[in-house]
Amino acid sequence: MTLLACSRKVGNGECAPLLSDVNDDDEVSIVQVVETPLPKLQLSVLCALRMLDPMNFSQIFPYVNQFMYDLHVTKDPSKVGFYSGLESVFAICQLFAIYPWGALSDRIGRRPVILVATAGLAIASISFGLSRTFYHALFSRALAGTFSGNVALLPSVLCEITDSSNQALALPIFGLWWPIGAIIGPLIGGTFSNPATRFPQYFDTHFFRRYPYSLPSFIVSSLTLSGTLYAYIFLKETLWTSRNVVSKRDVTSYGTMDEQRHISYPNPRKSLLSLPRLRALCLSCCVLSFSSTAFDVIFTLFCYTPIHEGGLAFSVSEIGYALATAGMIAAALQVVIMPTILRRFDTEKVYHFCMRLWPLTFAFLPILNIIARGGFDDETGTMSQRTLTLVWIGIGVILSIARVGCLAYCVNTLLIKQYTPNVSALGSANALVQFSICLSRAFSPAIVSFVFTRSQKWRVLGGYGWVLLLVLVSAGGNIMSSVVGREEVAPVEGGCGARDIAA
């Protein structure tokens, strides 16, 4: 970011009313912040890399059950689901690899760690497609999860190539590519699995009959290797340490590092967690991840459950329409609304506002069931058109509230940057927050599904016991997020955020 500074005596001119507490003879420094151009090439590299992790994670979902059945891991088809749970190995290995990758990048640089991890992810995907035993498949998914542990590095690089003048546009664009990857992955897996049977005119060969799930893995691996090559050619190193001295020209082009800032070796994990705001951010992000994942699980269960048991009795296609609506709302918020919000409002207040929406989101869901009961015909098993319209309007409102709440994910990247002690610890700080997010994401679906089914079976609070639990949990996250914006907690001295420079 370019700073233009000048000094002048304040008299009775145009600036006098704004500086009424300053004597006429005092010297005042006026600092003007000039907007830094968006680093489009670097941002395009980060966006390409951003979609690789969800794409590799989700491409096995359409065929994993059939894959496990074909591997003859069990003779009982009802037990196939247990073995297809190997997908959780990916998440668990990613969870424990996040902090080591982040800490390593703080020492040797972001670029080499990103390149090695991305190339390793491509190799792991090929290995999974060539699996002939359950343990080979299990090892491949564990390897993929380990290499995808660099997920915290990309936000770190984004923080280092942007500043307060352009990050309001860069962050929503960057955030949009995660759901894109999550959409592309299942499409590839569902379309190209077992190609010898589905496309015999092209793939009816011995190889594809022996390895029926290799083609989607090859396609995803090729895209991952292409992303690695793209990053190798164009991605610049952003970590400025004594081992990697960046010229003043490069620093200015990124617009984030003041030439007078001294970079030290990264703080230990305990030192970072001793910072009140960073610790509160980790805790609140853990609850944020639990709440958002819980909503995705609960919403599907709620829509599928019969009306007399507290749900909406939607068909699979209707649930699909609702989820598609949620995706469109999320995309619109990220691209259209989020840049304006980040420019006009204080970051901490936006984060706290988003967190405050989650208790409301869960509390409003039972209202849809009450509306549906009012217009449900027991004889025909259908809702009246007026009731159905009201239910869909309610779904639109609740999904909009939930997607606004999810914008906290975008905002927390700015807060990490703002309250990290120095640039050399940014990778470790991002890794700690990402670890908190992945930790709750790994366990939230199982916990929420259990609570929902038990609430229905035992009729806890009339079957709505899950509502009370989720409201209380999300309210706890709201309390933690208030610490992040609490004025009496002093900002970190020398933090790598740009707010103190632009003030």
Side-chain angles (χ1 to χ4, degrees):
M1 178 170 53
T2 305
L3 300 180
L4 301 178
C6 61
S7 297
R8 60 184 289 267
K9 290 186 177 181
V10 179
N12 296 323
E14 188 174 310
C15 293
L18 300 178
L19 302 168
S20 58
D21 57 340
V22 181
N23 296 328
D24 289 349
D25 294 332
D26 290 343
E27 292 283 344
V28 177
S29 294
I30 300 176
V31 181
Q32 180 181 0
V33 180
V34 179
E35 184 173 354
T36 305
L38 193 68
K40 297 179 182 178
L41 180 60
Q42 297 300 296
L43 182 60
S44 69
V45 176
L46 296 182
C47 291
L49 295 175
R50 179 67 167 174
M51 72 174 182
L52 297 180
D53 177 75
M55 186 170 63
N56 279 271
F57 177 66
S58 61
Q59 66 97 0
I60 76 167
F61 290 171
Y63 62 81
V64 64
N65 290 306
Q66 185 62 43
F67 192 10
M68 293 300 101
Y69 185 77
D70 292 346
L71 290 179
H72 306 292
V73 295
T74 178
K75 295 181 180 180
D76 186 356
S78 64
K79 295 182 180 180
V80 168
F82 172 79
Y83 292 95
S84 64
L86 62 83
E87 62 202 39
S88 62
V89 173
F90 183 105
I92 293 173
C93 290
Q94 181 188 53
L95 176 66
F96 290 103
I98 285 175
Y99 187 80
W101 282 121
L104 181 63
S105 75
D106 283 337
R107 293 190 176 275
I108 69 173
R110 318 290 188 212
R111 187 174 184 273
V113 176
I114 289 175
L115 292 177
V116 169
T118 308
L121 185 60
I123 295 172
S125 293
I126 293 177
S127 176
F128 182 80
L130 298 177
S131 299
R132 295 291 299 164
T133 66
F134 172 75
Y135 293 105
H136 184 179
L138 187 69
F139 172 78
S140 299
R141 290 303 283 174
L143 193 66
T146 301
F147 281 116
S148 68
N150 74 331
V151 66
L153 300 188
L154 301 182
S156 300
V157 176
L158 183 66
C159 289
E160 291 165 343
I161 67 173
T162 59
D163 56 43
S164 59
S165 68
N166 56 22
Q167 61 195 12
L169 179 60
L171 260 71
I173 295 175
F174 175 74
L176 184 63
W177 287 85
W178 180 280
I180 289 177
I183 293 172
I184 294 176
L187 287 177
I188 293 175
T191 303
F192 296 103
S193 60
N194 204 1
T197 303
R198 304 187 66 179
F199 309 104
Q201 64 273 32
Y202 302 111
F203 301 106
D204 190 10
T205 64
H206 173 72
F207 178 84
F208 286 113
R209 287 193 298 270
R210 181 174 175 81
Y211 302 101
Y213 306 102
S214 60
L215 185 57
S217 296
F218 285 160
I219 293 174
V220 170
S221 179
S222 298
L223 293 174
T224 305
L225 286 174
S226 299
T228 306
L229 181 61
Y230 188 43
Y232 178 79
I233 297 174
F234 296 109
L235 183 63
K236 295 182 180 180
E237 181 57 67
T238 58
L239 182 65
W240 192 32
T241 67
S242 58
R243 298 183 182 183
N244 181 31
V245 180
V246 181
S247 66
K248 180 179 178 181
R249 178 179 178 182
D250 288 337
V251 172
T252 304
S253 67
Y254 282 134
T256 60
M257 299 181 186
D258 185 88
E259 61 176 317
Q260 297 176 347
R261 179 170 298 149
H262 300 286
I263 305 302
S264 60
Y265 283 103
N267 290 355
R269 180 170 41 191
K270 292 182 179 179
S271 298
L272 289 173
L273 290 177
S274 67
L275 303 174
R277 279 179 166 173
L278 197 56
R279 185 171 62 249
L281 191 60
C282 288
L283 293 173
S284 61
C285 282
C286 185
V287 178
L288 168 64
S289 177
F290 185 93
S291 300
S292 61
T293 306
F295 178 80
D296 293 337
V297 174
I298 283 291
F299 183 76
T300 303
L301 289 172
F302 179 76
C303 289
Y304 182 78
T305 301
I307 291 177
H308 66 274
E309 293 183 8
L312 296 178
F314 273 9
S315 65
V316 173
S317 60
E318 288 175 319
I319 295 174
Y321 294 147
L323 295 177
T325 301
M328 290 186 290
I329 293 172
L333 288 172
Q334 283 279 356
V335 177
V336 179
I337 300 176
M338 194 61 183
T340 302
I341 293 176
L342 292 178
R343 288 191 186 101
R344 294 188 178 182
F345 298 98
D346 182 74
T347 308
E348 293 97 334
K349 292 181 179 179
V350 173
Y351 181 73
H352 186 47
F353 174 79
C354 292
M355 293 295 295
R356 291 174 66 180
L357 294 178
W358 285 108
L360 297 177
T361 304
F362 293 115
F364 286 165
L365 275 176
I367 298 177
L368 296 180
N369 177 252
I370 295 174
I371 296 174
R373 286 175 183 267
F376 183 72
D377 190 337
D378 292 328
E379 295 182 1
T380 61
T382 58
M383 285 184 283
S384 66
Q385 188 60 43
R386 178 176 178 274
T387 302
L388 188 61
T389 301
L390 291 176
V391 167
W392 275 104
I393 291 175
I395 288 176
V397 172
I398 291 175
L399 289 178
S400 298
I401 295 174
R403 294 311 132 191
V404 173
C406 285
L407 294 179
Y409 283 113
C410 183
V411 178
N412 70 32
T413 302
L414 297 178
L415 295 175
I416 296 169
K417 176 182 178 181
Q418 187 168 308
Y419 296 116
T420 301
N422 50 59
V423 177
S424 67
L426 194 55
S428 298
N430 267 296
L432 283 174
V433 175
Q434 195 65 40
F435 178 89
S436 302
I437 291 173
C438 291
L439 178 64
S440 60
R441 185 181 295 162
F443 300 105
S444 178
I447 295 174
V448 170
S449 298
F450 176 81
V451 171
F452 183 88
T453 55
R454 293 306 172 185
S455 295
Q456 296 293 326
K457 182 177 180 179
W458 297 335
R459 305 306 296 170
V460 179
L461 297 179
Y464 293 125
W466 57 271
V467 178
L468 177 61
L469 174 65
L470 293 176
V471 168
L472 291 176
V473 171
S474 53
N478 178 29
I479 295 173
M480 296 173 191
S481 69
S482 65
V483 178
V484 176
R486 192 174 296 167
E487 294 297 333
E488 59 265 25
V489 181
V492 176
E493 184 178 354
C496 57
R499 188 179 68 170
D500 54 337
I501 300 175

